Amino acid sequence: MTSYPINLLGGWACFLAGALSGMLIGLRFHRPEWLGGYDSLPRRMVRLGHIAFFGLGLINILFALSNPAGSPAGGVGSVLLLIGAATMPTNCFLSAWRGWFRHAFFIPAGATAGGILAMMVHLL
């Protein structure tokens, strides 16, 4: 069993959320005018949120499978990666809805970068 089962569960939950959000997006994506057209910022943000679920889910699973227990950096990394996985897709979808949410991207980006850095410190 992994030392960080919460990241393993969180990663698989992200995969499920990615599949479900893709299913919902798939109901409308064929319409050229949906969310302002293919090149519109809202439509790109919705697609980015959908893909972010898969990318950050994978990072959480890799973290859970490659990080032994007992490291303070590992514990910090675990929390930061979960925060990134929860807030990045959310922020993408909120930015598609209201553009001013884009100013909050430092939260998921910073948490994800911090989690990856903590893992790298732990491996050194």
Side-chain angles (χ1 to χ4, degrees), residues 56-112:
L56 291 167
L58 181 60
I59 289 173
N60 271 278
I61 290 171
L62 290 172
F63 176 87
L65 296 177
S66 62
N67 195 357
S71 165
V76 170
S78 171
V79 171
L80 288 174
L81 288 175
L82 288 170
I83 290 170
T87 58
M88 182 63 82
T90 302
N91 201 36
C92 290
F93 295 135
L94 289 173
S95 293
W97 176 58
R98 296 285 185 255
W100 50 266
F101 276 105
R102 74 183 188 281
H103 298 294
F105 269 107
F106 72 93
I107 297 168
T112 302

Side-chain angles (χ1 to χ4, degrees), residues 12-65:
W12 283 107
C14 281
F15 279 13
L16 177 61
L20 294 175
S21 67
M23 183 177 63
L24 291 174
I25 292 167
L27 295 174
R28 304 273 183 185
F29 80 96
H30 64 283
R31 297 181 181 184
E33 74 286 349
W34 183 62
L35 291 176
Y38 190 78
D39 290 334
S40 71
L41 182 62
R43 190 162 173 164
R44 289 182 307 190
M45 294 309 298
V46 167
R47 291 191 323 252
L48 182 61
H50 160 66
I51 293 303
F53 277 127
F54 290 106
L56 291 167
L58 181 60
I59 289 173
N60 271 278
I61 290 171
L62 290 172
F63 176 87
L65 296 177

